Amino acid sequence: MASFVRRTALFSVSQFKSLQLVPVLRMASTGVNVAGLQKDKAYVGGKWVTAKSGKTFEVTNPANGKILGSVPDMDRSDAQAAIEVAYKTFQSWKTTLPKERSNILRRWFELCVKHKKELATLITLEMGKSFPESEGEIAYSSNFLEWYSEEARRIYGDVTPTPASNKRVMVIKQPVGVAAMITPWNFPSAMLTRKVGAALAAGCTVVAKPAEDTPFSALALCELAEQAGVPPGVFNVITSSRENASPIGKELCENPLVSKISFTGSSTVGKILLSQCASTVKRTSMELGGNAPFIVFDSADVDKAIQGLMFAKFRVTGQTCICANRILVQEGIYDKFVQALAKAIESQLKVGDGFEPGVTQGPLINARAVEKVEGLVNSSVSDGAKVIVGGSRKDGPGHFFNPTLLADVTTDMRVSTEEIFGPVAACIRFKTEEEAVTIANSTSYGLASYFYTSDISQSYRVSEALEFGMVGVNESAMTGPETTFGGWKESGLGSEGGKHGIDEYLQFKNVCYGIQPKP
């Protein structure tokens, strides 16, 4: 994702340090006006609506704790209403021509590109990542709409051979129906378009619930979808606080009018949703947690491996499901690698508000995230790990944790067995290729993995031996709209992106025709 990132900050600290509430976020001095895309209501049936209860909840900036605004705190009854709207709309949307859906998605893509600075600003405000990274996310996010605008016209069926001369058999693909989506806060735009783009291209309607930390990005996409011509009721977004998230999720899973659930988040929550979907045997796709190994063999180009690790570990301040979690370094280069990594962390990373020039490490999403990362570091040190760089919170306001390098980490430490989701590189020493593969696979997760080597035979052996849905060989930027994204084991079900992503929203139907002989 960071391959799209532009390393030029467009805003200064002084221009932003006084920002507090959504209504005043006009940014006239920068030439960027986000007021037209900031919405304080949910979007259902083509209308901006409040919660039936009238309740709202506040959204804060994780970099300084200031309130950005509030959105509706919807409950299960609001979710039911949105589902009913989406189900009614599906009856007409499913009959639209693929070209029509394609044109709408293309216009949506173009509008996102046109408003990339406004959309990126919202991401940095509510999620905290650096503004260049936010711009990168909008490029990535928009490209999913472009990709699926093209895939909408490539939904092919089959004509299959039969054993009888008086029969003809076809397999056709039809949209599954209403697709419910629950999206995370770390990529509040891209994780939504990756799902919605595929669903709308297939002919499904959508009810989406964004994370309570980052609702503004989703609501901004609703505004642009409406401008692009997405009909009322096709794309619906409901918002809720953490307290109402569970009952809304339960409604999305158990409501018989919903035919499909797509979720990106933790494996723990994913398992709960799967169990709730069982009563209606609902179709699901799950992109869940990870514990990605990053293996560096003795033959690797250390400089390239360091460069790859800096991206794989520290993008979005370590808050992605495919971030390198366990850094496995072969004993022959271990000390050299740790020293080089320490220098890279100290020279290349800057912590601060995402709008500050040169900042690469924004805040963690909330106080709970900081406490978790701090607990993992302290636990590792208690068990014998050494802090080479960082290891503590950043002084001052906001949810910041300094980039950290731990050496002498062992496989039984919590930092090795749990998903870190923060800027902590935990280095583990290994001896042989077999040992590295065994350590890498000794997890219930199977999302992303990476390794660096100059041995071509080793690259084949290890890539085939790793039990992960995605493998980067001498490469850490391996995802894009054209590629399949999905995990093995407890890291998920199904896939997103690529030519297979749209199949998650299609039913295969076998049609057999009886042919009468000519009289």
Side-chain angles (χ1 to χ4, degrees):
M1 298 175 186
S3 59
F4 298 103
V5 172
R6 297 179 182 177
R7 294 296 175 187
T8 54
L10 303 182
F11 307 100
S12 69
V13 184
S14 60
Q15 289 169 323
F16 284 90
K17 64 182 181 180
S18 63
L19 299 181
Q20 295 186 35
L21 301 177
V22 168
V24 302
L25 297 178
R26 303 260 176 198
M27 304 180 203
S29 61
T30 67
V32 178
N33 186 343
V34 298
L37 293 182
Q38 292 177 5
K39 302 296 178 180
D40 60 0
K41 293 181 175 60
Y43 187 74
V44 177
K47 299 178 181 179
W48 297 101
V49 300
T50 60
K52 291 182 179 180
S53 66
K55 294 180 179 180
T56 63
F57 68 97
E58 294 177 340
V59 181
T60 60
N61 185 333
N64 53 34
K66 293 182 179 179
I67 298 171
L68 297 172
S70 60
V71 294
D73 189 4
M74 293 177 145
D75 57 25
R76 191 163 184 167
S77 66
D78 294 294
Q80 290 171 345
I83 292 168
E84 290 170 3
V85 168
Y87 182 77
K88 181 178 180 180
T89 307
F90 172 67
Q91 310 313 314
S92 58
W93 177 248
K94 68 180 179 181
T95 65
T96 57
L97 294 175
K99 184 176 181 180
E100 182 179 353
R101 300 196 295 269
S102 174
N103 290 341
I104 291 173
L105 287 169
R106 180 73 192 189
R107 290 195 295 269
W108 195 4
F109 155 72
E110 292 169 350
L111 285 166
C112 288
V113 172
K114 178 181 178 181
H115 294 282
K116 63 179 181 180
K117 291 183 179 179
E118 297 98 308
L119 294 171
T121 298
L122 288 175
I123 291 176
T124 296
L125 284 170
E126 64 179 351
M127 186 269 157
K129 68 177 65 173
S130 70
F131 186 76
E133 282 190 312
S134 294
E135 280 198 305
E137 178 178 345
I138 295 305
Y140 183 65
S141 169
S142 303
N143 285 345
F144 280 111
L145 298 177
E146 180 186 37
W147 173 259
Y148 283 113
S149 73
E150 297 162 349
E151 290 298 290
R153 302 180 69 179
R154 298 188 179 94
I155 300 174
Y156 303 124
D158 296 290
V159 177
T160 62
T162 68
S165 61
N166 64 336
K167 297 179 182 179
R168 300 292 185 272
V169 177
M170 293 193 306
V171 176
I172 63 174
K173 298 179 182 180
Q174 294 180 299
V176 297
V178 176
M181 301 170 179
I182 302 175
T183 57
W185 49 263
N186 56 346
F187 288 91
S189 182
M191 296 303 95
L192 190 56
T193 59
R194 188 162 73 183
K195 300 175 189 296
V196 175
L200 268 58
C204 297
T205 55
V206 168
V207 176
K209 195 205 85 63
E212 65 274 8
D213 299 291
T214 55
F216 291 126
S217 292
L219 296 173
L221 287 173
C222 293
E223 171 64 29
L224 296 181
E226 183 176 293
Q227 293 180 24
V230 175
V234 170
F235 178 38
N236 308 278
V237 170
I238 55 177
T239 57
S240 83
S241 64
R242 178 175 291 270
E243 288 69 28
N244 278 325
S246 180
I248 286 179
K250 187 175 177 65
E251 179 63 31
L252 297 177
C253 291
E254 296 182 348
N255 193 307
L257 299 184
V258 176
S259 299
K260 157 82 180 183
I261 291 285
S262 180
F263 170 72
T264 297
S266 72
S267 295
T268 299
V269 174
K271 292 175 183 179
I272 294 172
L273 297 177
L274 280 171
S275 67
Q276 293 173 346
C277 287
S279 62
T280 53
V281 195
K282 207 176 301 298
R283 189 165 179 178
T284 63
S285 55
M286 300 274 167
E287 196 263 280
L288 307 177
N291 190 354
F294 189 103
I295 307 171
V296 186
F297 290 102
D298 282 342
S299 67
D301 182 319
V302 172
D303 290 338
K304 289 183 178 179
I306 292 291
Q307 181 182 4
L309 179 59
M310 292 297 289
F311 172 65
K313 174 69 258 182
F314 294 105
R315 55 184 159 184
V316 196
T317 320
Q319 298 175 108
T320 86
C321 55
I322 61 173
C323 272
N325 210 64
R326 297 167 292 159
I327 319 304
L328 310 179
V329 186
Q330 199 158 12
E331 60 182 1
I333 60 168
Y334 183 87
D335 293 334
K336 176 183 178 181
F337 184 88
V338 170
Q339 292 174 4
L341 180 56
K343 290 180 180 179
I345 292 173
E346 292 175 330
S347 64
Q348 297 179 24
L349 301 182
K350 178 181 178 181
V351 181
D353 188 298
F355 291 115
E356 293 181 26
V359 163
T360 63
Q361 303 291 283
L364 299 185
I365 189 63
N366 52 40
R368 295 187 305 276
V370 177
E371 291 169 1
K372 175 187 175 182
V373 172
E374 185 175 52
L376 289 174
V377 171
N378 291 341
S379 173
S380 300
V381 172
S382 296
D383 291 339
K386 296 179 181 178
V387 176
I388 307 300
V389 177
S392 63
R393 304 183 186 212
K394 179 178 181 293
D395 294 335
H399 308 306
F400 293 96
F401 197 89
N402 290 313
T404 298
L405 172 59
L406 299 177
D408 296 339
V409 174
T410 59
T411 57
D412 57 350
M413 293 179 182
R414 285 180 55 208
V415 76
S416 298
T417 59
E418 298 180 24
E419 187 174 22
I420 300 170
F421 239 66
V424 179
C427 292
I428 302 170
R429 191 190 307 261
F430 73 89
K431 293 183 178 181
T432 66
E433 176 184 314
E434 293 75 18
E435 181 186 6
V437 171
T438 298
I439 294 172
N441 289 339
S442 62
T443 174
S444 60
Y445 298 105
L447 188 56
S449 58
Y450 312 87
F451 69 92
Y452 278 70
T453 179
S454 295
D455 184 334
I456 186 65
S457 296
Q458 186 174 60
S459 71
Y460 278 99
R461 291 193 305 268
V462 175
S463 62
E464 294 172 1
L466 289 172
E467 298 170 352
F468 295 82
M470 295 176 284
V471 182
V473 185
N474 297 323
E475 180 56 66
S476 58
M478 59 180 176
T479 65
E482 303 85 357
T483 60
T484 298
F485 192 108
W488 290 11
K489 298 188 282 190
E490 293 185 18
S491 284
L493 298 169
S495 62
E496 295 184 322
K499 69 176 184 178
H500 301 294
I502 199 168
D503 285 343
E504 299 289 341
Y505 298 91
L506 294 167
Q507 295 279 22
F508 288 44
K509 180 184 287 184
N510 183 81
V511 183
C512 181
Y513 295 91
I515 305 298
Q516 299 300 320
K518 185 176 180 179

